[in-house]
Every structure is written in C-alpha cells, then in structure tokens.
Amino acid sequence: MKPKVLIVENSWTMRETLRLLLSGEFDCVTAANGESGLQQALSHPPDVLISDVNMDGMDGYALCGHFRAEPTLKHIPVIFVSGYAPRTEGPVDQPVPDAYLVKPVKPPVLIAQLHALLARAEAVTPAAPTIQPAWKS
C-alpha cells in the first residue's frame, strides 16, 4: 500500500503539480487551506504532511502546531514547501517542520525527503505491544 500524503497548498496549480508529481509513489489527498487540511488529517490521518507556509487563515506554522499538539497527529512528519526562506523570528515555542524546502523544489529532492522522513518515522514509531495470554505464561 502506498504511503498517504496530505498536500495543503493554497495555489491550485502548485497543489495539483505536487499531487501529479507524487501520485506514482504516494496516495495523495489535497486541501486548499490549513483549516480543511486539519479536518482531513483528523478524520483520515496521513503518513506525512506537505504544507505551504503562507496561506490565508491558518498558515503552515499554525497547522504544524496543531499537528504537534494533537495526540493522533503528533507523530506525523511535516514538510514545508514554500517560496520563502524559513522564519528566523517568531515565538520561541514556534512549531518547526521536520523538513523545509524552498520552491522551486526539484522533484527527486522532494521524493527523497519524503522517503527519508517516512523511514525515520517508521523507525521511531513503537510497534503495537504483543499481549501474551495469561495461560501461556
């Protein structure tokens, strides 16, 4: 089964470009803004989030903050893909993504970053505990 990628991007052109680019290796779902992206993630958690930073309403940093605060989403890797450099000023407790790529991003770089973050997330996500029946003890 392909890993599920949630793409949150306010530009239809960029959102569709990312979806088409990644759809060969990933199951891609999209959202046009942070609010709808968060709702999609809460109802159907992705394996990784790709988000633009500058969006009206809930921007990428706020969306990342919701992911980090939500128990069902906090383990999900977050990648920012933005036309702007990372913020150097802001609150000390500002949420940070797992990766930050500046547009234009070369497709092989983005795909490699996705695979690396998914592999890292898989390595640190604890396996479900194996419960041994009492009669086997």
Side-chain angles (χ1 to χ4, degrees), residues 42 66-76:
L42 289 169
H66 283 288
F67 266 64
R68 300 294 190 238
E70 175 60 42
T72 60
L73 303 176
K74 67 182 179 181
H75 68 282
I76 297 171

Side-chain angles (χ1 to χ4, degrees), residues 7-85:
I7 301 165
V8 181
E9 168 65 57
N10 61 343
S11 163
W12 180 87
T13 304
M14 186 66 183
R15 190 170 58 245
E16 286 303 300
T17 299
L18 287 169
R19 185 184 65 76
L20 290 170
L21 169 73
L22 300 173
S23 63
E25 296 185 48
F26 303 95
D27 177 18
C28 298
V29 293
T30 63
N33 58 55
E35 291 85 359
S36 63
L38 179 59
Q39 291 308 311
Q40 282 190 38
L42 289 169
S43 60
H44 302 289
D47 295 307
V48 66
L49 167 68
I50 296 176
S51 179
D52 188 13
V53 174
N54 295 317
M55 297 182 284
D56 290 336
M58 183 187 302
D59 71 1
Y61 284 98
L63 179 58
C64 183
H66 283 288
F67 266 64
R68 300 294 190 238
E70 175 60 42
T72 60
L73 303 176
K74 67 182 179 181
H75 68 282
I76 297 171
V78 176
I79 299 176
F80 283 171
V81 176
S82 177
Y84 300 94

Side-chain angles (χ1 to χ4, degrees), residues 118-136:
L118 287 166
R120 186 172 69 186
E122 191 175 290
V124 297
T125 303
T130 309
I131 300 173
Q132 191 171 32
W135 56 269
K136 282 195 165 185

